[in-house]
Amino acid sequence: MHRLIQSLARLTALAGGFVLIVLIVLTSLSIIGRSVNKLLHNDFFQQKMTGFSQALLDLGIGEINGSYELLEAGVAFSIFSFLPLCQLYGSHATVDVFTAALPLRANRWIAAFWEIVLALVLLLIIWRLYEGMQRYMGNGETTLFLQFPVWWAYAASFAAGVVTCIVAAYCAVMRLLEAVQNHSILPSEHGEH
């Protein structure tokens, strides 16, 4: 079961990473295009190199239309895609100023408690995301520039969120078993097992 959960978390993170790379390239090209477009509208190019600058402008050099819409949808998906792996390895931010001095067994019970709470919170978030997706599916709202349905972005995030909930539920059960049996089952961010 652990290998299946680990593979699911890793594949989801890879999908999120791929989308993030595509978004970085898209955003970079859009910024470069906007900068070149602005440069071609500069007085020097407009007066001294009118034909050249107009030819480049006619090619469509400029900001990529809808890049903000794609960025917004893609980043949301990427965030939800990285959560399962983060959850599996316990890589969320922690503050252990007070718990560092506690015995390992006490820390395992604290970790189990917070893992259960986090799993419940993630379920709540995904439930609300599903409700939002349903609302946008019903009203047919589309994005301003690209005119793709808003619910598509919600659906992509929801799919990654479902994986997050599966991994979170698994981790909650495993942390509880770790506390009861007083030994490590899940991997940690430091590679311990």
Side-chain angles (χ1 to χ4, degrees):
M1 180 70 166
H2 181 72
R3 280 183 202 249
L4 176 66
I5 294 293
Q6 189 176 39
S7 296
L8 192 59
R10 286 183 178 188
L11 286 173
T12 307
L14 283 171
F18 175 76
V19 168
L20 204 53
I21 289 169
V22 168
L23 290 173
I24 290 167
V25 170
L26 175 75
T27 303
S28 298
L29 290 174
S30 186
I31 291 169
I32 290 167
R34 183 176 53 224
S35 298
V36 170
N37 185 289
K38 188 176 179 180
L39 181 68
L40 292 173
H41 279 94
N42 148 327
D43 286 340
F44 172 77
F45 281 99
Q46 289 297 309
Q47 293 171 359
K48 305 284 187 198
M49 304 180 87
T50 307
F52 175 72
S53 66
Q54 192 57 50
L56 289 177
L57 289 170
D58 289 344
L59 289 174
I61 291 179
E63 181 177 357
I64 297 173
N65 284 338
S67 62
Y68 292 112
E69 295 168 354
L70 293 172
L71 184 66
E72 184 179 28
V75 166
F77 169 75
S78 291
I79 290 169
F80 279 105
S81 295
F82 296 136
L83 280 174
L85 199 58
C86 187
Q87 185 75 14
L88 183 64
Y89 285 93
S91 300
H92 297 292
T94 59
V95 179
D96 57 359
V97 173
F98 300 109
T99 59
L102 294 175
L104 182 59
R105 188 169 187 93
N107 277 313
R108 286 196 169 134
W109 280 103
I110 292 169
F113 170 77
W114 286 114
E115 198 79 45
I116 292 167
V117 170
L118 184 56
L120 293 172
V121 168
L122 288 169
L123 281 169
L124 175 66
I125 290 169
I126 297 309
W127 168 52
R128 299 312 304 158
L129 184 64
Y130 176 78
E131 292 296 323
M133 180 181 71
Q134 291 295 314
R135 185 177 67 245
Y136 282 114
M137 285 175 81
N139 70 18
E141 187 176 331
T142 60
T143 61
L144 182 63
F145 294 108
L146 298 178
Q147 295 294 303
F148 69 80
V150 172
W151 71 266
W152 288 0
Y154 277 75
S157 295
F158 176 72
V162 168
V163 174
T164 300
C165 287
I166 292 167
V167 172
Y170 173 78
C171 288
V173 170
M174 291 301 110
R175 294 285 180 214
L176 192 56
L177 282 173
E178 285 180 348
V180 169
Q181 297 174 357
N182 196 27
H183 72 83
S184 296
I185 298 171
L186 289 177
S188 74
E189 63 182 320
H190 307 295
E192 300 163 0
H193 204 20

